[in-house]
Amino acid sequence: MSEVEFHLFALIKQLEIKKGEKVTVAEIAKKARLHRNTVQRISDNATERVDLTTLAKLRAFFDAEGMPINIGDLFTDKVA
């Protein structure tokens, strides 16, 4: 059995270092046009499924913030 582990929290921290300022889940949600709870659950690695559109919006958010990422940077497959 395998699980997906999300890395959004780590990516947010990398973006904060790059920008030199705090980046909030609310800010990401607003700019990415996602529900705040959706972004929070992904950041907390507490979601069971994610829509492909959501992944694309998160990728576009990081691109717009000057930190281009690949979809695969958002998560990894871990073997349980």
Side-chain angles (χ1 to χ4, degrees):
M1 179 178 196
S2 65
E3 292 182 23
V4 172
E5 181 175 56
F6 292 96
H7 300 294
L8 183 57
F9 182 79
L11 290 169
I12 293 169
K13 293 303 173 191
Q14 289 175 22
L15 183 58
E16 288 177 344
I17 291 168
K18 179 178 174 34
K19 292 178 72 171
E21 61 187 49
K22 179 85 172 141
V23 177
T24 66
V25 167
E27 174 187 350
I28 295 168
K30 183 176 180 179
K31 289 182 177 180
R33 295 184 177 195
L34 293 167
H35 194 281
R36 184 192 172 288
N37 289 343
T38 299
V39 178
Q40 187 67 58
R41 283 193 305 268
I42 296 169
S43 177
D44 292 343
N45 204 33
T47 189
E48 292 186 19
R49 70 191 108 189
V50 178
D51 188 80
L52 294 175
T53 303
T54 299
L55 295 176
K57 287 180 177 184
L58 288 171
R59 181 175 178 230
F61 165 79
F62 282 100
D63 285 350
E65 294 294 314
M67 190 175 125
I69 64 168
N70 295 313
I71 292 292
D73 295 328
L74 287 167
F75 61 89
T76 55
D77 182 30
K78 67 178 188 173
V79 177

